[in-house]
């Protein structure tokens, strides 16, 4: 015979985790009604009985709703923080690309000027006899090449977010920064010795003035004496030892003319060129310090940006490993 819907079924439901000790077990009926609201994680998809709807007013129902709201709030906070971090990293990456692109373009310009001087002017502005390769053209070529290499490493490393390139950029920039600091410390610590050595070396360079194969040194001294209105390293008599006579180059004359250096010493500049150039540097000391501080600040920002991006890429690779 067919069992009535009011008859009890021999199958009983196993006690749930929320059931209390001593409470009667729940039974299934033919209409599948529950005496207690099942776990729904704070939601119900279909209206239930009045007893089930009143389940939200109980402590257990409120606990489920609060738990769900806590999870949602934490998820939204993490999502917002991730978006903010992603936006900051994107801005940092674009800033570093722009900075290194300008850095690279500046290196290209310096290198171009150095090559142009080397081709058109030869060894222009070579004043030292012991360091003939220390010319303006060679210095510009070396500095421009270094700037181009460093800027290229930083730009490509920022675009690709490559850890080896970012680390190489950081190490090279740090080495240059430390060398600059060491050079400044040594310069101020041994300033008197450097002055004596520079004057002695410049006097030796006077012996090569006008000789074959030293057109760069000759042009450099002519330009310095004409622009700074000076003569010789420490005095105009420095040229007497070069010519073995009372004579100076024509660039020492108050009014330039051919062989004017053989005329009366009253028509020559008598101020020492070394002191004139040193005084010009002291007059422009503020501009030099501003340039040095800007260069140092640029290098520090490059170090900070590159190391920040490097650490971020390490964290991302570790997280997704």
């Amino acid at each position: 015979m067919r069992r009535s819907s009011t008859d009890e079924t021999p199958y009983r439901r196993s006690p749930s985790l929320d059931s209390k000790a001593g409470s009667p077990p729940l039974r299934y009926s033919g209409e599948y009604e529950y005496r207690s609201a099942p776990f729904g994680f704070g939601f119900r998809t279909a209206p239930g009985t009045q007893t089930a709807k009143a389940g939200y007013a109980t402590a257990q129902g409120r606990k489920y709703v609060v738990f769900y709201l806590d999870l949602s709030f934490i998820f939204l906070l993490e999502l917002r923080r991730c978006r903010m971090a992603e936006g900051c990293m994107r801005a940092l990456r674009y800033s570093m690309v722009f900075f290194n692109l300008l850095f690279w373009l500046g290196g290209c310009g310096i290198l171009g000027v150095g090559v142009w001087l080397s081709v058109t002017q030869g060894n222009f502005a070579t004043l030292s006899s012991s360091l003939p390769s220390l010319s303006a053209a060679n210095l510009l070529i070396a500095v421009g090449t270094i700037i181009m290499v460093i800027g290229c490493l930083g730009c490509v490393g920022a675009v690709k977010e490559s850890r080896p390139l970012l680390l190489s950029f950081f190490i090279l920039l740090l080495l240059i920064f430390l060398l600059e600091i060491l050079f400044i410390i040594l310069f101020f610590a041994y300033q008197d010795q450097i002055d004596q050595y520079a004057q002695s070396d410049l006097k030796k360079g006077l012996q090569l003035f006008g000789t074959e194969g030293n057109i760069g040194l000759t042009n450099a001294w002519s330009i310095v004496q004409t622009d700074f209105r000076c003569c010789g390293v420490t005095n105009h008599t420095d040229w007497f030892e070069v010519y073995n006579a009372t004579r100076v180059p024509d660039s020492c004359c108050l009014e330039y003319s051919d062989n004017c250096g053989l005329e009366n010493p009253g028509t020559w500049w008598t101020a020492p060129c070394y002191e004139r150039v040193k005084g010009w540097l002291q007059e422009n000391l503020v501009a030099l310090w501003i340039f040095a501080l800007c260069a140092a600040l640029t290098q520090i920002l490059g170090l900070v940006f590159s190391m920040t991006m490097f650490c971020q890429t390490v964290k991302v690779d570790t997280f997704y490993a």
Side-chain angles (χ1 to χ4, degrees):
M1 295 178 60
R2 181 179 182 182
R3 300 178 62 89
S4 174
S5 60
T6 59
D7 296 351
E8 293 182 354
T9 176
Y11 302 99
R12 296 179 181 271
R13 181 186 178 189
S14 61
S16 63
L17 296 175
D18 297 332
S19 61
K20 297 181 179 179
S23 61
L26 300 177
R27 297 186 178 89
Y28 287 102
S29 64
E31 298 297 329
Y32 296 100
E33 293 181 356
Y34 297 103
R35 294 185 181 182
S36 176
F39 175 72
F41 205 34
F43 286 109
R44 293 191 65 87
T45 56
T49 60
Q50 189 69 21
T51 304
K53 290 181 179 180
Y56 291 106
T58 63
Q60 190 72 14
R62 287 195 298 269
K63 183 180 70 173
Y64 293 148
V65 173
V66 171
F67 177 69
Y68 174 75
L69 292 177
D70 288 343
L71 287 179
S72 301
F73 183 70
I74 293 173
F75 175 75
L76 291 176
L77 286 179
E78 291 293 331
L79 182 61
R80 182 180 180 182
R81 189 175 69 174
C82 291
R83 289 180 177 177
M84 291 178 61
E86 183 180 359
C88 292
M89 285 303 302
R90 186 181 296 112
L92 179 62
R93 182 169 62 251
Y94 290 159
S95 300
M96 190 168 177
V97 170
F98 180 74
F99 161 75
N100 284 282
L101 183 61
L102 292 180
F103 206 57
W104 183 79
L105 291 176
C108 290
I110 295 174
L111 179 62
V113 173
V115 173
W116 175 78
L117 283 178
S118 179
V119 173
T120 59
Q121 303 295 330
N123 294 325
F124 176 76
T126 301
L127 295 176
S128 175
S129 60
S130 60
L131 297 173
S133 298
L134 191 63
S135 63
N138 293 338
L139 284 177
L140 291 176
I141 292 175
V143 172
T145 303
I146 293 174
I147 292 176
M148 282 183 60
V149 172
I150 295 177
C152 183
L153 286 176
C155 187
V156 177
V159 172
K160 300 294 185 180
E161 295 185 0
S162 173
R163 285 189 295 173
L165 293 180
L166 290 174
L167 186 60
S168 301
F169 173 82
F170 177 83
I171 293 175
L172 288 177
L173 198 58
L174 181 61
L175 288 176
I176 293 176
F177 185 70
L178 294 177
L179 288 176
E180 291 173 352
I181 295 177
L182 180 62
F183 175 77
I184 293 174
I185 294 174
L186 293 177
F187 176 78
F188 284 104
Y190 299 96
Q191 188 172 3
D192 295 336
Q193 292 85 341
I194 292 175
D195 283 342
Q196 295 177 1
Y197 175 79
Q199 293 179 19
S200 175
D201 188 67
L202 290 174
K203 287 182 179 181
K204 292 180 181 179
L206 295 180
Q207 303 293 333
L208 303 177
F209 184 85
T211 59
E212 184 179 358
N214 293 287
I215 185 174
L217 185 143
T218 303
N219 292 336
W221 270 113
S222 299
I223 292 174
V224 169
Q225 292 183 140
T226 301
D227 292 344
F228 288 93
R229 297 181 178 182
C230 58
C231 189
V233 179
T234 58
N235 200 341
H236 67 282
T237 58
D238 293 337
W239 291 107
F240 296 171
E241 300 177 2
V242 176
Y243 292 107
N244 293 323
T246 307
R247 179 185 177 182
V248 295
D250 295 340
S251 57
C252 287
C253 298
L254 299 177
E255 295 182 359
Y256 178 81
S257 62
D258 293 338
N259 297 322
C260 63
L262 296 173
E263 299 177 358
N264 189 348
T267 61
W268 304 336
W269 301 110
T270 58
C273 290
Y274 187 84
E275 295 298 329
R276 280 292 181 92
V277 174
K278 190 175 179 180
W280 178 82
L281 292 176
Q282 291 177 352
E283 291 176 358
N284 297 274
L285 192 61
V286 176
L288 293 175
W289 276 114
I290 292 175
F291 175 78
L293 290 176
C294 291
L297 181 61
T298 303
Q299 293 175 4
I300 292 173
L301 290 177
L303 292 172
V304 173
F305 288 167
S306 61
M307 183 51 61
T308 302
M309 290 195 64
F310 176 80
C311 294
Q312 185 64 26
T313 53
V314 170
K315 290 181 180 179
V316 171
D317 294 343
T318 304
F319 180 79
Y320 288 103

